[in-house]
Amino acid sequence: MLSRFMSGPHPAKRRLVAMSSHLGNGPQNGGPTGPAGQTRAKVLTIDSMNPLVKKVEYAVRGPIVARATELEKELEKGVPKPFKQVIKANIGDAHAMGQKPITFLRQVISLCVNPDLLNNESFPADARERARRILQGCKGGSLGSYSDSVGVEVIRKDIAAYIERRDGFPSDPDNIFLSTGASDAIKNMVKLMVRGSGRDQTGVMIPIPQYPLYSAVTAELNAVQVNYYLDEDNNWALDIAELERSVKEARQHCTPRVLCVINPGNPTGQVLSKENVREIIKFAAREHLFLMADEVYQDNIYAEGCAFHSFKKTMMELGPEYSTLELASFHSTSKGYMGECGFRGGYMEVINMDPQVKLQLKKLVSTKLCPPVSGQATMDCVVNPPQPGEPSYESFIKEKTAVLKSLAERAKLVAETFNSIEGVTCNTVQGAMYAFPRIALPQRAVEKAKSLGQAPDGFYALQLLEQAGICVVPGSGFGQREGTYHFRTTILPQPDKLKIFMDAFTAFHNKFMKEYAD
Amino acid sequence: MLSRFMSGPHPAKRRLVAMSSHLGNGPQNGGPTGPAGQTRAKVLTIDSMNPLVKKVEYAVRGPIVARATELEKELEKGVPKPFKQVIKANIGDAHAMGQKPITFLRQVISLCVNPDLLNNESFPADARERARRILQGCKGGSLGSYSDSVGVEVIRKDIAAYIERRDGFPSDPDNIFLSTGASDAIKNMVKLMVRGSGRDQTGVMIPIPQYPLYSAVTAELNAVQVNYYLDEDNNWALDIAELERSVKEARQHCTPRVLCVINPGNPTGQVLSKENVREIIKFAAREHLFLMADEVYQDNIYAEGCAFHSFKKTMMELGPEYSTLELASFHSTSKGYMGECGFRGGYMEVINMDPQVKLQLKKLVSTKLCPPVSGQATMDCVVNPPQPGEPSYESFIKEKTAVLKSLAERAKLVAETFNSIEGVTCNTVQGAMYAFPRIALPQRAVEKAKSLGQAPDGFYALQLLEQAGICVVPGSGFGQREGTYHFRTTILPQPDKLKIFMDAFTAFHNKFMKEYAD
């Protein structure tokens, strides 16, 4: 009878445990108390759980962010703090920072959700027309039915048409896979490619600094993370010699199969030049790598002289020698000018994939049934916005332009302010939504951090949070060259908040540097 | 120069390949043609891809369903067929089969999407109040911001309150994890538990017949699928002796760590008695198993004398001896009376989980940022529906009751019709949305199928589709006792279509049986 509360994984062992408990050896590991005062051993413990999950790290939502949320609650309760509000600059979430939704987009989605409004003439005709078109593509005319696992057909066609307009090269709707945000698609692509152990184990080449989804997915799926370092001295450009070093070294112990590139860069904010994209493509071809191009910030280009050059277009322009390369490109509703993170819309275009593998990919995504259909509809609004002459066109362009113009101003302001502070240097934020400034931490601060068992930039970021209420993510969460220290901040606080943010940061930093001066 | 088009994974080997191509050995495997007529070898092929993904099967969206979609397109183009429409009874997708959304739910979601409507008095006050409340829980007051990875706090509280009302026992919002449909949460839970190889490899106990998500997840995550068979002769009840046989046999070669139970049953439609649930709980405790209770059909109970008994409530009632067991229970917006599949709403309640493991689970879900917020809002409407005295109450109850009443009638009609046909037997559809009739296939039909390399019930289902336009899923996609043949059909076609369906089925079946009579 007692054995059932003392059970371990093997019956024989369980019997022994039950016996020892009979002999009064006391409670087993953890868990609430059972009837006779014994505790029930947990089936699932930190020791018995999946070891790969334990290896996963995701700093963008890590302990510093959890502490920021605690501080917000303390402020609400009236606990005195040296700041009046917590500014969460840890994540690229525009609406959370006060950006307003694009009116047209929300009109279309609300019409899709509530078709009773379709004949309501207070909605513009083009919004109603878009909603009708999307609903016609949904089974039973409802956003509440499952779509095809790869996404609603009409939306895939709209995405393909968008890519064609963007690149000037054909796009096949059968190559489009809608997804639950870009993260979902990125994970599925890596999942297709992991295999083997030892020298045959799949290596995934990722930039350092990287967006930590890549290291998290690599850890969870048991692939080898193969780092290549971006060139901070050259505005985080991607140096081909470094790619070559990286792949060569990796081949000593694993099989690199995929090259991930984030352009515009996260957390680094660089925009790759056309020539750089060309060289990367040639490198991938030479080294027999599948290219994964994270292009979710394709609409977020700010610096003069910079432009977005898609990998697809650049490959196609390079002609048949390179246009047959395998490529997956990712896009999302979460970034750009719309910032619709919560709808979890996204897609990938996969070209030149082996047809048998593509069937396997379709099967894999079918086990999740389908991406959220409201997210798919949101994606449709992004790729199929109001056109000149349509009733919503002018207000749409006005709203879109205003957001992008303001982001460009904030990108400039943030980098300039950082560069005006002693001990902080920051590359130009050419695109995306982040600055990744470098901080020259005094040796005494480094030692203090180590004495607390913290990463030096983690210590700095935690102090910044506790003293100034500013939540950023330490550079160690993204990776950085040994002995350098950074943090990532978004450029998303609205202009009034950004001013408070930069002032509070400057005051904190100067105080910190004085306190720990060598 | 040429080597870059001929590259294989190892540089040395690649050089050899390039040389052989110089010698005119012709194209490599697959892919389009490169400049000099050579083809580029694919990085990712059926041989080099993840072998676990290849093992995944998901019949609910398998080849028969793909063929049904083709047939629909052929019909649209005017290709003559022996039927006028394809009836897709393969998937539990109520809206696709013509069920109308619940008005209140869509009002709330459209208000959340488009807050400009919040002061529009054509929306009932309770819908506007619900939407305001949800938006207050969203960062920046927008459905477009990321929520906490575990879900919007106010929605988690509403879910906990719902569970408390349902069970009469406390529920902690910190135990609630919103998810992208239930599938997502089920996958995450299994992911936490997979580990080891050989005797230590995690065994996942699943019912046979099962919903194929379970076998797909088990294959993808490299766990061992441990089958226990439901008792067809006893209306698909869950026999404890069979659980004991199953776990004992499994322990010879792996370590069973988790017991999955689907109640009400999919594809089998049974509703477990309270006594059965109690016995299962005692078995899990005895055998040291983590319980996963798939309770997504908890609102879909049709047969007289049947009631839904949640695992949580039953565990709690059993007292401290069992109330400390580890349990994850899953729910969804996709089923019930609302059938909102496309929004991908769902949650799990996890109780008695080791606190360290829970932190790991929170970290794991954070890598996907958050479940779709519109799906979370949909879940909120389900757990927090209009109350007596609120303006939407009466119409809500009317709509809800009408759907459930009609489903109960269809459940009865489907089983009775099947049982009236020679060579078909069907258990009572006590709950959920499916019938899983058994078909007595003649030996000649079995042989015919085998000669075509098809599973006998796959052959039958394909003939049913081609000749009658009815799309069901063969029993082999769910698992069944050796030598028995079944198929799963939903009970979701609307009454008028269901009549056509049953008539067409009867005619097909009788013709088939005559054609292959032994």
Side-chain angles (χ1 to χ4, degrees), chain B residues 114-410:
Chain B
N114 193 343
D116 289 351
L117 300 169
L118 277 171
N119 294 318
N120 184 327
E121 300 205 347
S122 69
F123 286 85
D126 49 354
R128 289 185 285 143
E129 181 273 325
R130 291 292 198 290
R132 277 204 189 88
R133 196 162 160 277
I134 292 169
L135 289 176
Q136 276 164 13
C138 294
K139 296 183 180 79
S142 171
L143 223 53
S145 56
Y146 293 120
S147 74
D148 291 346
S149 300
V150 293
V152 175
E153 191 174 9
V154 65
I155 299 178
R156 293 161 69 211
K157 285 180 178 166
D158 285 347
I159 292 170
Y162 159 78
I163 295 172
E164 286 191 11
R165 285 196 309 276
R166 185 193 69 188
D167 291 343
F169 290 95
S171 173
D172 182 349
D174 191 55
N175 288 338
I176 307 296
F177 292 75
L178 272 296
S179 57
T180 308
S183 307
D184 172 45
I186 290 168
K187 200 165 174 173
N188 281 335
M189 272 310 307
V190 175
K191 189 179 289 164
L192 277 186
M193 282 186 269
V194 295
R195 59 163 290 141
S197 58
R199 281 287 292 268
D200 186 41
Q201 195 175 2
T202 295
V204 178
M205 296 185 71
I206 64 175
I208 297 296
Q210 54 119 12
Y211 173 50
L213 171 70
Y214 291 93
S215 53
V217 164
T218 303
E220 186 188 324
L221 296 173
N222 201 23
V224 179
Q225 178 179 327
V226 176
N227 297 336
Y228 64 87
Y229 288 84
L230 301 176
D231 185 1
E232 184 165 14
D233 296 336
N234 193 13
N235 217 93
W236 300 112
L238 208 164
D239 178 20
I240 302 302
E242 167 60 12
L243 282 176
E244 279 165 353
R245 176 207 64 77
S246 168
V247 79
K248 193 176 162 191
E249 283 184 25
R251 286 225 165 85
Q252 305 301 313
H253 59 92
C254 71
T255 302
R257 290 195 171 93
V258 53
L259 171 62
C260 302
V261 181
I262 312 172
N263 177 46
N266 176 3
T268 37
Q270 84 282 21
V271 176
L272 297 182
S273 70
K274 184 114 187 168
E275 183 49 31
N276 212 172
V277 175
R278 267 193 219 114
E279 287 176 7
I280 295 164
I281 290 168
K282 291 179 183 178
F283 168 81
R286 214 154 56 223
E287 299 294 339
H288 201 60
L289 297 166
F290 195 111
L291 250 172
M292 283 177 48
D294 181 339
E295 302 182 322
V296 300
Y297 296 99
Q298 58 191 265
D299 285 326
N300 298 96
I301 311 284
Y302 314 121
E304 267 188 50
C306 285
F308 171 68
H309 306 287
S310 79
F311 272 85
K312 164 102 178 274
K313 179 180 187 180
T314 311
M315 258 172 62
M316 293 299 148
E317 287 172 346
L318 282 169
E321 199 169 331
Y322 297 102
S323 62
T324 55
L325 263 184
E326 293 151 271
L327 167 75
S329 158
F330 306 90
H331 198 11
S332 163
T333 61
S334 304
K335 312 302 170 184
Y337 54 88
M338 53 285 178
E340 292 284 6
C341 309
F343 284 93
R344 315 303 296 120
Y347 75 79
M348 64 175 168
E349 183 189 26
V350 184
I351 61 170
N352 298 320
M353 179 175 261
D354 180 289
Q356 284 183 287
V357 176
K358 200 167 166 184
L359 282 178
Q360 294 287 330
L361 175 59
K362 287 183 178 177
K363 180 189 71 179
L364 179 66
V365 299
S366 80
T367 65
K368 290 196 265 190
L369 294 161
C370 70
V373 183
S374 48
Q376 297 185 45
T378 309
M379 196 78 241
D380 194 65
C381 295
V382 173
V383 296
N384 188 19
Q387 297 304 308
E390 290 187 321
S392 301
Y393 179 72
E394 277 180 37
S395 66
F396 168 77
I397 289 294
K398 201 174 147 194
E399 289 178 10
K400 173 181 170 176
T401 310
V403 170
L404 290 175
K405 184 165 170 277
S406 171
L407 282 172
E409 286 164 5
R410 283 178 268 164

Side-chain angles (χ1 to χ4, degrees), chain B residues 43 58 78 84 127 157 222 331 376 446 463 467 517:
Chain B
V43 177
Y58 194 66
K84 284 191 188 122
K157 285 180 178 166
N222 201 23
H331 198 11
Q376 297 185 45
V446 174
Q463 294 305 309
Q467 293 179 31

Side-chain angles (χ1 to χ4, degrees), chain A residues 104 124 126 385-399:
Chain A
F104 173 78
D126 47 356
Q387 297 305 308
E390 290 187 321
S392 302
Y393 180 73
E394 279 181 35
S395 65
F396 168 78
I397 288 294
K398 202 175 147 195
E399 289 178 8

Side-chain angles (χ1 to χ4, degrees), chain B residues 489-510:
Chain B
T489 176
T490 71
I491 58 164
L492 295 177
Q494 291 295 304
D496 52 335
K497 262 205 180 178
L498 195 61
K499 178 86 178 67
I500 299 171
F501 173 103
M502 294 309 307
D503 289 351
F505 172 80
T506 307
F508 161 80
H509 179 81
N510 290 337

